[in-house]
Every structure is written in C-alpha cells, then in structure tokens.
Amino acid sequence: MVRNVVVVGTQWGDEGKGKIVDWLTEQAQGVVRFQGGHNAGHTLVIDGRKTILRLIPSGILRADVACYIGNGVVLSPTALLGEIDELQVAGVDVPRRLRISGNCPLILDYHVALDRAREERKGADKIGTTGRGIGPAYEDKVARRAVRAQDLFDEARFAERVREALDLHNFVLTKYLGAERVEAQAVIDGALRLAPRIKPMVADVSYELNQAMSRGHRLLFEGAQGALLDVDHGTYPFVTSSNTVAGAAAAGAGVAPQQLHYVLGITKAYATRVGSGPFPTELTDAAGEELRRRGNEFGSVTGRPRRCGWFDAAALRRSVQINGVTGLCVTKLDVLDELETVRLCTGYRHGGTVTDILPFGADAVACCEPVYEDFPGWKRSTFGIRDWAELPAQAQRYLTRLSEVTGVQIDMISTGPDREQTILVRHPFSV
C-alpha cells in the first residue's frame, strides 16, 4: 500500500492543489511544502468557509496533522508570521504543528526591491513575477550567499551575511537598475525583531520526516506553481525560480527518492496561465472571458486575472513525462457545464509537422498551433457531484478521452471548491 504521495500541478499553476492536499490529509499524518515561496496561493473551502494559504502547508486545517516547510522553500519572515496570525485568529494553532527547515533561505527586503526593480526595467518584456522577491532569494541560494533560517540563531552572523549580500545588491539596485538602496541595518533590525517567534519552529525537517516515516506515518508532499513553470523543464524563461516537478520533493524536503511512492497530477478541465509566456490554447475572445468568469480565474494571492484556454493534452503529456504521474485529479469540471462545445487540444502543428508533446522553451512553444478534437457540451450541472456514475454521459466521454490522450488514469475529479465536492475513482493512498 502507498505510504507517501506527491501532489503536483501539471499545468501553469492554479490547478486546485490546496483543496486536494487538504482532502487527502484525512489519511495522512504530515504535509510537506518542498519548494516555492509566498507567491503561490492555495485556496481551501471547508463548510463554505474560504481559507487562502501561501506558505503554510494545506494540511494545517486538519487537527493534529504535522506540517513542514522544507529546505526547498524560500521563506519570508514577514509573510510567514502574517499568515500565522490570520490562522490564529481563525482558531488554528499553527506554531504547535509547524516545523521549518533551518536550511530555508530567507526572503528579505532587498530581494523584494530587486524583484520589482528588474520587472520595471524590463517593461513589456517582463517575466510577470509577483514582485515578492522569490527569484532573487533563489539566486542568492545558488550563489551561496543566502541568509538562512538557522542564521537567526546567531545575530552577529546574521548581520554579517546581510551586509555582505547588500554590498552587491545595493550596487546593482543603484548603479544598474536605477532604484533606491536598501539600508542594511533596517533589514537586520526588522528580521531580528521577528526572530523570537520563528526560532521555536525551526528544526531539522529532513531528520524529522525520516523519523516520521520510520514510525509508519503517511506523508503528503505539496508542490507550488505547476510543472510547466519549472525552471528547467517549463516554458523558459517564462518560468518560476525553482524546480516544481515531483522529483524536487526529495531534494526540497530531504528524503530519499524511493520514499516518494505515488505522484498525483492536478489538472484543470481546461487551462489557465498567469503572467507572460506562450500559451498555445489561449482564448482571447468571449469564450475565454466566460471561462474566467465561471471559474473565478483571478489569483488568490495577487488578484491578477488568469489567461484561460482549452485543455492542452500535449502540454500535460510533457508534465506526465517529467513528473512520473501515477494518476490524475481533474478539477473545475463544473466550469464547462454551460458550454455548447468543449475543445481538447491533442497536439500541435509545429515546423511543418504534427507533434503530440509540448516542445522545450518559450520560443518553440510560441510557434505551436493547436490541433483540436471537439466534444458536445453536456449542458447539465456537475457541481457537487460525488459519484462518477452521476456525471452526464458527455462529461464522462470528455474525461475518458482526456485520460486516453494523456495516457494516465483519472483517479479523482473535483466538482466544486468545497472539501466534500469530490469524486473518488481510486484513492492515491490505496494504490
């Protein structure tokens, strides 16, 4: 029987991972965030009440489930404590159940300043980041100048590392980007004021996860963003700053790859994308606007409208390949309920040939012309349905074809935002 499950987005993010992680946590003892920062929002709806999580794992709303932030996450102390305070007001005791890897790089004020100044300088060619400092923080990590959570325990070392980093970053900000400098002492004082609240949650997360597994605990590994935004495998350079694929769970949490037993790929019944970058099936007409309206396709963290389009099986096929997806969860099926015709992209015309898989790199993807199959709409509500047999026949046909062209079994279907509005075909923990 499967013990650990990795949940990843298979599109460009915003697939509904948070709800599914929360649903699966009923049979898990721990949930682990393994990459990303507070630029990704996970929306949970439980008994009609909406909660938006950004850094804290989506298992936090289940009593007595341990939550971990792995070393692959870049951590904003301000955003973390703000999110904790929101949850505490709602009656959720976060500090007792949250463990943060001491190896997490911190996002500090100068990372935010760099992120925003770069995007402003790029103008129309900007990547479309959230301006929250995630990319610059990952750059510092790779350059071996990151200030990490464990540095909060040594004030002198913390101050030294901040000043060293700012020697470089202030030069870039003022001399190259034409922005204002960031004062080191203000950064140091601000972070150290927050440190007493963060220190009790800092731990050796890798060790604790391996200890939990030795006791037979089931763990969920929760990704942020989507596989097509992976810094190596996505539509580069219009990608995020970390590895979003399932394999990153091992490195980003400190567990062995063979401890990742099942990969659940989350995909919408259509496609969306936020920010810049190629999007072969994008709809810029009334149909796209209708999907946006019915799906409430606005960022849970940023409020930015999402670009909407038809389901792209060629893109999903790439995600299946790079993630080793075991089973799919299709979300937001109900958004398609009123459409006369539903289209499914099975491949692309590209360079005079037809291909059935998303090519690498933004330039190649931008040249792809989608090849579609059309399906009659079911014109019946699927909202809240909890049994496959109750789905309209045309909806079943669409989902069956989606599974066929992507080569992966559909194990779950989400028919609404609430925890209970879920169809289970095959439980990831029982495969």
Side-chain angles (χ1 to χ4, degrees), residues 137-157:
Y138 274 117
E139 290 174 33
D140 274 1
K141 171 184 175 177
V142 174
R144 297 185 291 268
R145 59 172 171 262
V147 181
R148 304 200 289 180
Q150 60 183 278
D151 293 326
L152 293 170
F153 290 86
D154 186 327
E155 293 188 8
R157 181 176 63 188

Side-chain angles (χ1 to χ4, degrees), residues 262 264 325-329 403 406-412 425-426:
Y262 174 107
L264 181 64
V325 173
T326 314
L328 290 175
C329 173
S403 176
T406 57
V408 185
Q409 177 171 327
I410 295 174
D411 285 346
M412 299 175 66
V425 179
R426 184 177 67 162

Side-chain angles (χ1 to χ4, degrees), residues 92-111:
V92 182
D93 184 6
V94 179
R96 180 179 66 84
R97 292 166 45 211
L98 181 63
R99 307 293 275 167
I100 301 166
S101 171
N103 291 339
C104 285
L106 298 180
I107 300 175
L108 299 170
D109 290 347
Y110 50 85
H111 296 121

